[in-house]
């Protein structure tokens, strides 16, 4: 038997857990409830979970480890997070337990990425060394840790979203017809689809690009809600749809767009955009422009565009050809098909679990 601990299960993660459970049966424990889900503007996934009472103070989380240690679990999949006190307790007790421990996480801080890619966290290093195996979200972070711990037992799950295979199986829609349906007249359309719950998304840069572009030439489609969401009503070339969870509506909105644009904190939204055949446009990671680990999926000039500055961004948007956008969109979709399917993510996790059990 296997136990997995997570804070919650949003809709974009449900297929992973549901399909993994078919290959490697497990019990899923969540220590956050519906209130946290609502606060983060997330839609709940339909995955059966067991509640795990926990106490949180700032980033630190403490749940009762006996709930996991008293059962017949052979493998525990815990979070690679040094603020989880209970994980430390289990790792330190591991020499006296019969259970194996897998740690699952980014392997690096999004907010301290630039510093930690040069000097990885010592606390995470200790956790990884105490564990039996590590699951990284992407291959980039796993490669960083291989330089530090060459012999570690690790796998990159290649983090992706639940709906990705359904998206890439859909034929590309009629862009002209969709623009007519939604009343979009601009020559080029950029779409943004992410929650406005994190200042690192750099909405100030999104507003700057909107303000600096010609309304007759450029249109913007906005999908998302959250406490940091600005008022777009003053921009005639912006259509704000709020939070959208209907896959049919999303398919149409992405279908009428040319490019996906999110200035910072690009995460799984990059996977969704590339699955729809949209090149992902963002700014280069720096100490002031924070990016999630999925930023590593973007290859500048191949399946997306990474801007060095606002001037670079505006110049590129004005001068890039339709042919270049189409080619990058095709390569973006191909990258998802070859590297970021849910089948691949589930298989990576399943193979690791079965190796632990043997």
């Amino acid at each position: 038997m296997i136990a997995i601990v997570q804070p919650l299960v949003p809709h974009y993660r449900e297929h992973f857990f549901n399909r993994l459970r078919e290959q490697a049966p497990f019990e899923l424990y969540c220590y956050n409830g519906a209130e946290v889900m609502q606060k983060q503007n997330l839609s709940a996934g339909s995955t059966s979970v067991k509640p795990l009472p926990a106490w949180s103070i700032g980033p630190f989380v403490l749940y009762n480890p006996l709930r996991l240690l008293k059962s017949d679990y052979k493998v525990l999949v815990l979070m690679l997070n040094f603020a989880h006190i209970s994980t430390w307790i289990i790792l330190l007790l591991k020499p006296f337990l019969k259970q194996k421990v897998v740690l699952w996480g980014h392997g690096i801080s999004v907010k301290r990425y630039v510093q930690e890619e040069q000097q990885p966290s010592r606390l995470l290093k200790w956790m990884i060394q105490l564990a039996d195996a590590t699951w990284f979200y992407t291959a980039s972070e796993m490669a960083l840790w291989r330089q530090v711990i060459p012999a570690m037992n690790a796998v990159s799950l290649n983090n992706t979203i639940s709906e990705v295979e359904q998206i890439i199986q859909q034929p590309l829609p009629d862009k002209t017809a969709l623009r007519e349906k939604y009343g979009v007249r601009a020559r080029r359309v950029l779409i943004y689809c992410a929650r406005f719950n994190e200042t690192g998304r750099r909405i100030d840069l999104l507003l700057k690009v909107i303000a600096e572009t010609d309304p007759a030439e450029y249109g913007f489609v906005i999908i998302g809600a959250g406490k940091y969401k600005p008022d777009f009503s003053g921009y005639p070339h912006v259509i704000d749809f709020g939070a959208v969870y209907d896959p049919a509506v999303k398919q149409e909105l992405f279908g009428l767009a040319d490019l996906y644009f999110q200035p910072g904190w690009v995460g799984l939204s990059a996977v969704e955009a590339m699955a729809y055949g949209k090149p992902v446009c963002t700014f280069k990671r720096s100490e002031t422009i924070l990016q999630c680990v999925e930023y590593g999926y973007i290859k500048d000039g191949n399946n997306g565009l990474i801007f060095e500055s606002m001037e670079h961004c505006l110049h590129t948007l004005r001068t890039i050809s339709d042919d270049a956008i189409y080619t990058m969109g095709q390569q973006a979709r191909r990258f998802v098909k070859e590297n970021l399917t849910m089948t691949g993510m589930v298989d990576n996790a399943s193979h690791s679990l079965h190796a632990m059990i043997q």
Side-chain angles (χ1 to χ4, degrees):
M1 182 67 76
I2 300 163
I4 299 177
V5 174
Q6 288 283 285
L8 42 78
V9 181
H11 70 285
Y12 60 78
R13 190 66 78 208
E14 64 177 324
H15 288 180
F16 171 75
F17 287 118
N18 292 343
R19 291 176 59 178
L20 179 61
R21 187 173 268 140
E22 295 173 359
Q23 297 187 25
F26 61 84
E27 291 184 335
L28 178 60
Y29 290 87
C30 290
Y31 57 81
N32 283 334
E35 290 183 4
V36 175
M37 188 88 69
Q38 186 175 13
K39 187 177 180 180
Q40 295 183 12
N41 299 105
L42 290 168
S43 176
S46 57
T47 302
S48 61
V49 303
K50 289 176 175 280
L52 184 63
W55 297 266
S56 299
I57 301 177
F60 297 99
V61 176
L62 176 66
Y63 53 82
N64 184 1
L66 295 179
R67 292 283 298 274
L68 305 174
L69 300 181
K70 284 185 176 180
S71 301
D72 296 327
Y73 299 125
K74 292 184 178 180
V75 179
L76 305 179
V77 181
L78 309 177
M79 298 180 69
L80 179 58
N81 187 327
F82 60 69
H84 284 207
I85 307 302
S86 304
T87 302
W88 281 110
I89 294 172
I90 293 171
L91 287 172
L92 292 172
L93 288 175
K94 205 169 73 65
F96 309 101
L97 305 174
K98 295 181 179 180
Q99 296 162 313
K100 293 185 177 180
V101 177
V102 177
L103 296 179
W104 179 15
H106 294 122
I108 198 166
S109 167
V110 173
K111 294 183 178 179
R112 298 183 298 275
Y113 199 105
V114 174
Q115 294 81 13
E116 288 191 11
E117 67 179 336
Q118 302 299 322
Q119 183 62 52
S121 166
R122 292 181 180 179
L123 290 174
L124 290 186
K125 178 182 178 181
W126 189 15
M127 294 185 91
I128 292 170
Q129 290 174 323
L130 289 172
D132 295 283
T134 306
W135 291 355
F136 291 98
Y137 275 48
T138 80
S140 298
E141 290 69 42
M142 185 172 71
L144 287 174
W145 277 105
R146 285 253 184 247
Q147 298 175 22
V148 180
I149 312 174
M152 71 175 178
N153 179 17
V155 63
S156 167
L157 296 192
N158 293 348
N159 200 38
T160 191
I161 58 174
S162 290
E163 304 88 356
V164 67
E165 281 163 328
Q166 293 92 317
I167 294 173
I168 59 179
Q169 288 169 3
Q170 297 296 321
L172 295 177
D174 185 336
K175 185 182 294 185
T176 302
L178 289 173
R179 291 186 178 184
E180 188 69 28
K181 176 179 178 178
Y182 287 95
V184 176
R185 300 286 181 263
R187 178 178 65 87
R188 185 159 291 162
V189 178
L190 286 72
I191 186 170
Y192 170 100
C193 180
R195 291 171 291 145
F196 292 89
N197 66 330
E198 172 57 61
T199 56
R201 297 199 194 281
R202 296 301 304 269
I203 306 307
D204 59 318
L205 298 180
L206 172 63
L207 293 174
K208 176 74 171 175
V209 171
I210 292 173
E212 294 289 331
T213 48
D214 182 355
E217 289 289 309
Y218 296 88
F220 293 82
V221 170
I222 304 294
I223 300 175
K227 62 181 179 179
Y228 297 120
K229 184 171 184 175
D231 181 5
F232 291 103
S233 61
Y235 301 100
H237 52 322
V238 175
I239 306 178
D240 181 6
F241 289 87
V244 176
Y245 297 107
D246 185 336
V249 175
K250 263 194 174 183
Q251 183 184 1
E252 291 189 341
L253 297 180
F254 271 93
L256 64 84
D258 299 292
L259 297 163
Y260 180 80
F261 179 60
Q262 185 179 324
W265 209 269
V266 170
L268 283 172
S269 52
V271 178
E272 182 176 37
M274 286 195 281
Y276 281 114
K278 306 303 163 184
V280 178
C281 304
T282 190
F283 285 84
K284 184 178 179 180
R285 176 189 276 138
S286 67
E287 293 185 354
T288 57
I289 306 289
L290 305 179
Q291 301 286 8
C292 300
V293 294
E294 293 83 5
Y295 168 83
Y297 296 153
I298 308 168
K299 310 303 177 187
D300 184 38
N302 179 278
N303 58 19
L305 296 168
I306 298 176
F307 307 124
E308 298 279 346
S309 64
M310 179 58 67
E311 293 73 20
H312 179 210
C313 169
L314 294 172
H315 174 75
T316 303
L317 293 179
R318 293 189 186 110
T319 57
I320 191 168
S321 68
D322 292 340
D323 287 343
I325 292 175
Y326 176 80
T327 300
M328 285 192 296
Q330 292 292 98
Q331 290 169 166
R333 214 175 199 205
R334 187 179 306 116
F335 180 82
V336 172
K337 288 180 180 179
E338 294 175 355
N339 301 280
L340 301 176
T341 64
M342 182 54 68
T343 297
M345 184 177 178
V346 170
D347 286 347
N348 290 336
S350 176
H351 293 159
S352 176
L353 289 174
H354 284 296
M356 291 287 100
I357 295 171
Q358 290 177 355

